[in-house]
Amino acid sequence: MLEIIQAGGWIMLPIVLCSVLALAISVERLWALKADKIAPRNQLAEVWQRVKDNSIDADYLKQLKGSSPLGALLASGLSNSRYGRDIMKESIEESASHIIHDMERNMNALGTIAAIAPLLGLLGTVVGMIDVFTQIVDQGTGNAGALAGGISQALITTAAGLAVAIPALVMHRYLHRRIDTMVVSLEQESVKLVDALHSERQVAVKEKKRK
């Protein structure tokens, strides 16, 4: 592997750096976007039980907000529930925008790597071909070893750039799709809380009127 990198010339250094960054970002995002970390199972049910038991206080809301992205959305909604359904939904949407921003952290960098890696490979190809033609001008076509070295450099950098760009692009698309799916799930869970909370309040108001 080291011999291949050396044969590719100096342009292999940024390509290798791109590969390391792409791998680090992919692993970090896969870990950060685990389903149980974003929307823990039964968290909505636990929150709703708290609502029914009338045991929601400032300390619990603070704990809920720091527990997970879903918890942050539910805490934001509960904090503004007394202002009505519309305000509650607006507060959840505002919190969701911050959460989405956090979920998309480093995604632009991964997309940039996927875009520039093949360009770096192409640059290496151009540099290699320039070296080939320089050798032809200086020594003619008789020195096959020198010509092969320039062509080898051109092919190695092209292959290396594509080898980095293809998986980086795949991971970028996959992670974006994963984020979109999780955002929809978070919105659905939050809407369930809003609907349940205000439906129960409407029932309570109607019962009071009857009495």
Side-chain angles (χ1 to χ4, degrees):
M1 179 64 71
L2 182 59
E3 293 178 355
I4 294 176
I5 294 175
Q6 290 175 342
W10 64 269
I11 201 67
M12 287 294 292
L13 293 178
I15 293 177
V16 170
L17 178 60
C18 285
S19 69
V20 173
L21 289 175
L23 179 61
I25 292 171
S26 298
V27 171
E28 187 273 334
R29 286 293 85 194
L30 286 172
W31 174 259
L33 296 175
K34 292 176 66 176
D36 290 341
K37 293 173 68 87
I38 300 298
R41 290 184 178 182
N42 301 323
Q43 186 167 43
L44 178 60
E46 293 173 2
V47 171
W48 181 241
Q49 187 61 47
R50 283 264 191 171
V51 172
K52 292 171 66 176
D53 295 341
N54 198 26
S55 58
I56 302 293
D57 54 22
D59 291 336
Y60 176 72
L61 289 177
K62 184 178 180 180
Q63 176 187 352
L64 180 63
K65 184 176 181 180
S67 64
S68 67
L70 175 59
L73 289 182
L74 299 179
S76 178
L78 289 171
S79 298
N80 295 277
S81 61
R82 62 184 179 276
Y83 299 116
R85 180 190 183 94
D86 292 337
I87 299 298
M88 187 177 180
K89 291 185 71 174
E90 287 179 6
S91 65
I92 290 175
E93 290 172 357
E94 183 178 350
S95 296
S97 65
H98 296 292
I99 290 171
I100 293 171
H101 182 268
D102 290 338
M103 292 172 68
E104 292 180 342
R105 184 182 304 156
N106 295 326
M107 291 298 295
N108 285 337
L110 185 59
T112 301
I113 290 172
I116 67 172
L119 296 178
L120 289 172
L122 178 59
L123 177 60
T125 300
V126 173
V127 171
M129 295 310 297
I130 289 174
D131 183 60
V132 169
F133 286 113
T134 301
Q135 294 292 336
I136 291 175
V137 170
D138 292 342
Q139 305 177 21
T141 58
N143 190 346
L147 298 180
I151 295 173
S152 174
Q153 177 180 344
L155 295 177
I156 288 172
T157 54
T158 300
L162 292 174
V164 173
I166 292 172
L169 180 60
V170 171
M171 286 303 302
H172 185 261
R173 295 289 179 85
Y174 169 74
L175 290 172
H176 258 303
R177 178 61 180 170
R178 190 167 182 171
I179 290 171
D180 291 341
T181 302
M182 288 183 171
V183 168
V184 171
S185 177
L186 290 175
E187 290 177 349
Q188 290 175 342
E189 294 291 283
S190 302
V191 168
K192 286 179 184 178
L193 177 65
V194 174
D195 291 341
L197 184 61
H198 287 279
S199 295
E200 186 174 85
R201 287 182 177 178
Q202 289 177 359
V203 171
V205 170
K206 289 180 181 179
E207 289 181 351
K208 286 184 178 180
K209 288 182 179 179
R210 288 176 183 176
K211 294 179 181 180

